[in-house]
Amino acid sequence: MTVPNTHPHYHIVGAGLAGLSCASLLAEQGAAVTLYEAAGQAGGRCRSFTDPLLDRLIDNGNHLMLGANLHAFAYLDRIGGRQGLIRIDPVRLPFLDVADGRHWQVSPGMGALPLWLLDRKRRPPDLGLLDMLAPLRLAFASAADRVGDVLDMKSPAGRALWHPLAVSILNTDPAEASARLLWSVFKRTLLRGAEACRPYIAGEGGLSAALVTPALSHLTSRDAEVRFNHRLRHLEIADGRVVALGFADGARPLGAADRVVLAVPPDAAVSLLPNLAAPLESRAILNLHFRLPAPVPSSLPGGLPLVGLVGGLAEWLFLRGDVLSVTISAADAWMEETAETISARIWAELAPHLGRSGQTCPPCRVIKERRATFAATPSMESRRPAAKVQGLENLWLAGDWTQTGLPATIEGAVQSGHVAALAALA
Ligand SMILES: Cc1cc2nc3c(=O)[nH]c(=O)nc-3n(C[C@H](O)[C@H](O)[C@H](O)COP(=O)(O)OP(=O)(O)OC[C@H]3O[C@@H](n4cnc5c(N)ncnc54)[C@H](O)[C@@H]3O)c2cc1C
């Protein structure tokens, strides 16, 4: 079945951020690339679309990036997508306590050493230096330790800062989430000063205008082939290599030098490679997008288009034009609720803080991403595979769920694509 060829052709399966970063790096190196995607569009779990109910462009879920996301910014610079992001300047993360209406901000200082922690004005009110230094204990956590074993989530610091940050970073209840995974993010951000902590959010064109559409243009301008509505159904394997890719419309035989990167979610990878160990337990994320009636303020409490929420049902609030978006992490318990119930509960909680007490709930699109991320527990962490698939010489894996050392994030997905591309090139 193998077709003789000397120049490898690179077959990337899955056009999420891992597949796009892998394919764009390969195409930039002059490699011949085909990208296959099961859906009719690219972006996977990070995409934008025009919603008919709201008549607005929305994202499947609002995404927050940080200055520490070096692979993601290298990718954005390669594809020309950086201008699609809003850079928060000066660096600060505002928070609102929905229980009592207080708001504050965390504003990391410049410089590599976290000396800013000494400055009371840069940390949440009522928290002392020891509260701010508590996460250093995560550095000594074992692979089995959970965040809740190391940090007291019921303390004032836990409630005001560490719980909201941990659940949004890991998308897993801190009581069961891996302490080491949280440390992998804190050591790259809070310990590295302001630039590493700088928040970035999608601009007017949404996530796709920054992270997806420019990648597709980058690929087509380098003669890469992009095939939508192409779900890989099976891998044909012979003599320790993949020799053909099976799609609904037939098998695509591979050349002797061809290489394959599977950049699909873990359940899809396991259906193609049944012996693969993978983190199959997942956690949900819930997003609500309210279209506000005019007039609309240009910022949220705290003065920015985003604010972290404490003491209530949700974790983040974002404002883009007249669309107010709410993110609830580790949202599995919400999945069976109706959209009407969810939007009414969240609106009732937030409206008073937006000067909209008593206003009826505006039109709302509720998006349930049931398998938003792998569960960031110690046991799932131990099941994340390396990029190289053992026993198959021309097959690599990419995806936020592979062994990146990071939680399921844009940075992890893009990094995994880069790692797989460089390994396949070598
Ligand atoms: C609601 C939500 C909010 C999030 N918020 C943040 C955030 O604030 N910050 C952050 O950094 N990260 C966030 N994330 C995580 C981030 O979106 C993901 O880590 C990242 O998008 C994963 O990219 P990926 O390429 O690994 O996987 P995916 O995006 O899942 O891409 C896999 C692709 O493979 C395709 N596919 C599947 N099976 C096949 C097949 N057999 N053949 C061909 N194609 C196939 C799929 O259709 C998909 O397009 C969030 C995720 C969600 C869902």
Side-chain angles (χ1 to χ4, degrees):
M1 187 111 199
T2 304
V3 180
N5 69 345
T6 44
H7 293 296
H9 193 105
Y10 294 82
H11 304 266
I12 317 302
V13 185
L17 295 182
L20 289 169
S21 70
C22 179
S24 61
L25 184 54
L26 288 166
E28 193 181 59
Q29 299 296 313
V33 173
T34 301
L35 176 62
Y36 308 88
E37 166 56 46
Q41 81 280 327
R45 281 171 279 154
C46 181
R47 63 189 188 283
S48 316
F49 58 94
T50 299
D51 181 76
L53 171 71
L54 306 184
D55 189 24
R56 290 290 182 274
L57 181 95
I58 58 173
D59 296 328
N60 66 316
N62 293 75
H63 282 55
L64 184 62
M65 289 173 60
L66 296 173
N69 297 166
L70 300 180
H71 286 274
F73 283 104
Y75 164 72
L76 283 161
D77 289 340
R78 179 163 68 248
I79 63 172
R82 196 188 268 252
Q83 73 283 358
L85 295 181
I86 296 174
R87 175 180 183 266
I88 302 298
D89 191 31
V91 179
R92 61 197 177 95
L93 265 186
F95 286 90
L96 166 71
D97 191 330
V98 295
D100 59 16
R102 287 200 305 170
H103 49 86
W104 65 85
Q105 58 185 28
V106 176
S107 31
M110 302 309 271
L113 287 175
L115 295 176
W116 60 275
L117 292 173
L118 300 171
D119 183 348
R120 295 182 58 190
K121 290 196 290 296
R122 292 183 178 275
R123 43 187 213 237
D126 310 332
L127 297 197
L129 183 58
L130 287 182
D131 293 319
M132 297 304 287
L133 293 178
L136 289 176
R137 293 202 291 269
L138 294 166
F140 306 100
S142 74
D145 281 337
R146 295 156 307 178
V147 175
D149 300 331
V150 182
L151 289 176
D152 179 3
M153 290 296 164
K154 298 219 161 58
S155 66
R159 180 183 179 278
L161 198 56
W162 305 128
H163 187 284
L165 286 183
V167 76
S168 15
I169 290 169
L170 300 173
N171 192 35
T172 303
D173 184 337
E176 57 167 0
S178 158
R180 277 200 179 165
L181 263 185
L182 186 58
W183 177 244
S184 74
V185 175
F186 280 174
K187 75 177 179 195
R188 289 171 167 86
T189 52
L190 294 180
L191 285 190
R192 291 281 167 89
E195 215 39 65
C197 297
R198 186 184 297 285
Y200 291 81
I201 54 174
E204 246 174 56
L207 292 168
S208 290
L211 290 149
V212 180
T213 314
L216 295 174
S217 309
H218 175 95
L219 287 171
T220 43
S221 71
R222 282 161 181 79
D223 297 329
E225 188 188 7
V226 182
R227 295 189 171 193
F228 291 117
N229 303 306
H230 267 67
R231 177 179 296 279
L232 180 64
R233 290 177 190 260
H234 69 272
L235 293 166
E236 211 166 302
I237 290 166
D239 301 328
R241 39 184 300 115
V242 180
V243 294
L245 302 177
F247 298 97
D249 58 357
R252 174 158 181 172
L254 302 189
D258 285 4
R259 286 143 204 215
V260 181
V261 176
L262 279 188
V264 299
D267 52 333
V270 168
S271 76
L272 294 161
L273 295 166
N275 294 328
L276 183 72
L280 291 177
E281 209 182 297
S282 58
R283 293 291 177 267
I285 298 182
L286 188 62
N287 271 268
L288 291 85
H289 303 276
F290 295 97
R291 182 172 159 186
L292 299 174
V296 176
S298 58
S299 62
L300 293 168
L304 290 179
L306 78 162
V307 62
L309 302 172
V310 171
L313 300 168
E315 271 75 45
W316 290 100
L317 202 52
F318 298 85
L319 185 67
R320 190 196 298 157
D322 57 3
V323 177
L324 179 79
S325 303
V326 183
T327 301
I328 305 180
S329 303
D332 298 77
W334 290 86
M335 289 298 112
E336 305 317 317
E337 301 279 354
T338 64
E340 292 70 30
T341 309
I342 297 170
S343 53
R345 283 185 70 189
I346 299 295
W347 181 253
E349 180 169 281
L350 296 178
H353 303 288
L354 304 167
R356 291 170 190 267
S357 297
Q359 287 185 14
T360 51
C361 181
C364 178
R365 172 65 67 198
V366 174
I367 301 180
K368 296 174 176 174
E369 289 273 9
R370 287 174 190 269
R371 315 190 87 166
T373 67
F374 70 88
T377 60
S379 81
M380 288 302 109
E381 177 62 11
S382 70
R383 294 180 63 80
R384 297 173 75 182
K388 185 77 202 80
V389 178
Q390 293 306 314
L392 292 174
E393 66 176 53
N394 62 342
L395 183 65
W396 288 265
L397 298 171
D400 61 355
W401 55 279
T402 58
Q403 220 174 70
T404 65
L406 292 168
T409 49
I410 291 176
E411 175 69 358
V414 170
Q415 176 189 313
S416 75
H418 289 171
V419 167
L422 293 175
L425 273 172

